Amino acid sequence: MIRSQFGITVLDVIKIQYKTRILFDYVQTCYTVSYIQKGEVLTTSPEGEYVASAGDVMIHRPNEPFNVISQRDGVHYLFNIHAEVGDGADFFKLFPLGKVIRIRDRNEYERKFDELRSLWLQEGDDHRNIQIGSLAFFLLYEIVESTKLGGRQTTRDPAITDRFNEALHYMEARLDQEMTREELAKLYHMNPVYFSRAFQKIYKLTPMQMLRKLRLQHAKQLLESTDYTMEHISRCCGFYDAAHFSKAFHNSFGKGPAEYRKCIKFT
């Protein structure tokens, strides 16, 4: 005998296609699980601001106002549900998920949603209701597994000091490349302004200031341990040219790179 400990009520299953989409302070009494099949949106809630794009799921919680803004064509697959575990505990409180989650297998998720949507549009009977519940459960399962197996889950706790380790590693691996705040913000599905504000709250530097600091630290190490030319070091560390590198290095360390290297050798 298998006795289920999971209860799910599906309230609506919808496909939305739009040219632009703007919702302000939208509140509902259920969870909305909204998968972006096409497009990109900015979503804001009491938790913060995030950018979600094709292949991401947004989870909107009940009784919490949220905004959704998109200025481009888009298609959303969404379903509204109540989900309970055991003796009535809220599923999403027992298994807290981020605001935006990257789905590990888009094709499978979309195929199962199409099945769910097709059943939802049919005349109701007990057999259909069981199938609808099973498919909704499968989609939730895919979302939970996506957070474990490589799908990105946005954090809900801004006090965690290693929150932006991924961004630091990303910068360090690409010091010689051009980089923007928007590029880094996409790693966390965040609005660039909110990302910069949250990053600065932890490190007391903006993301671009941190990138400059990491570049100069790397340049310092190269000056200490190699005989590379100033032109080569400036390229390795993402500066436009040797003159720009020399000026930035002097402003940070009080000596030009050539003078610093001479002092190291003398020591």
Side-chain angles (χ1 to χ4, degrees):
M1 178 184 292
I2 299 174
R3 193 172 297 238
S4 174
Q5 295 297 307
F6 185 83
I8 186 167
T9 304
V10 180
L11 305 173
D12 207 353
V13 182
I14 311 169
K15 273 190 181 182
I16 297 175
Q17 186 169 357
Y18 56 84
K19 293 292 185 183
T20 61
R21 182 165 171 79
I22 300 177
L23 294 175
F24 283 120
D25 291 331
Y26 192 77
V27 181
Q28 50 200 5
T29 58
C30 59
Y31 284 93
T32 294
V33 180
S34 180
Y35 170 81
I36 302 176
Q37 194 272 336
K38 174 186 175 183
E40 182 177 271
V41 303
L42 168 66
T43 178
T44 65
S45 71
E47 298 172 32
E49 300 181 10
Y50 303 97
V51 175
S53 54
D56 292 337
V57 160
M58 300 180 293
I59 298 179
H60 303 300
R61 294 169 175 81
N63 305 314
E64 288 186 3
F66 66 89
N67 305 330
V68 172
I69 303 170
S70 177
Q71 300 296 335
R72 51 194 281 192
D73 291 1
V75 179
H76 288 196
Y77 296 177
L78 63 88
F79 57 100
N80 296 331
I81 59 168
H82 293 302
E84 298 178 346
V85 179
D87 296 326
D90 188 331
F91 169 82
F92 290 95
K93 290 182 179 177
L94 288 179
F95 300 94
L97 302 173
K99 180 70 174 174
V100 178
I101 299 162
R102 170 69 62 175
I103 293 299
R104 59 178 183 168
D105 188 339
R106 290 184 59 183
N107 290 334
E108 183 67 2
Y109 189 95
E110 291 175 16
R111 188 174 70 81
K112 290 295 185 182
F113 183 91
D114 284 337
E115 286 185 37
L116 175 62
R117 176 66 173 159
S118 177
L119 282 167
W120 183 258
L121 295 173
Q122 295 175 23
E123 292 296 322
D125 58 42
D126 290 342
H127 182 64
R128 164 189 170 273
N129 291 340
I130 292 171
Q131 289 177 296
I132 285 173
S134 298
L135 286 167
F137 177 80
F138 175 87
L139 294 176
L140 288 179
Y141 171 80
E142 279 297 300
I143 293 167
V144 171
E145 288 301 300
S146 292
T147 67
K148 298 177 185 176
L149 302 177
R152 185 170 295 116
Q153 178 180 355
T154 54
T155 180
R156 299 178 62 189
D157 184 3
I160 299 175
T161 56
D162 64 352
R163 180 181 186 185
F164 296 115
N165 270 353
E166 184 180 357
L168 296 178
H169 291 314
Y170 187 90
M171 292 183 204
E172 289 173 328
R174 298 166 176 80
L175 293 177
D176 60 333
Q177 301 175 20
E178 290 188 15
M179 203 174 304
T180 64
R181 179 183 66 175
E182 288 71 19
E183 181 180 350
L184 294 168
K186 280 188 176 180
L187 296 173
Y188 296 89
H189 301 277
M190 286 185 175
N191 173 270
V193 174
Y194 181 79
F195 166 73
S196 184
R197 193 181 304 141
F199 188 98
Q200 188 170 8
K201 186 175 181 180
I202 293 175
Y203 296 108
K204 313 305 178 188
L205 296 170
T206 67
M208 293 298 97
Q209 289 170 338
M210 177 63 78
L211 176 61
R212 185 183 182 87
K213 180 178 180 178
L214 292 174
R215 283 173 167 165
L216 288 169
Q217 286 178 345
H218 184 52
K220 195 175 179 184
Q221 293 168 1
L222 292 177
L223 289 167
E224 294 170 358
S225 59
T226 73
D227 291 321
Y228 293 154
T229 65
M230 298 304 161
E231 288 77 12
H232 182 80
I233 292 176
S234 67
R235 288 196 301 272
C236 287
C237 298
F239 291 95
Y240 298 119
D241 52 40
H244 179 222
F245 163 58
S246 181
K247 182 178 180 181
F249 193 93
H250 188 279
N251 289 341
S252 292
F253 300 113
K255 292 185 176 74
E259 184 183 358
Y260 178 78
R261 173 176 273 174
K262 191 180 295 184
C263 289
I264 290 296
K265 288 185 175 180
F266 178 78
T267 303

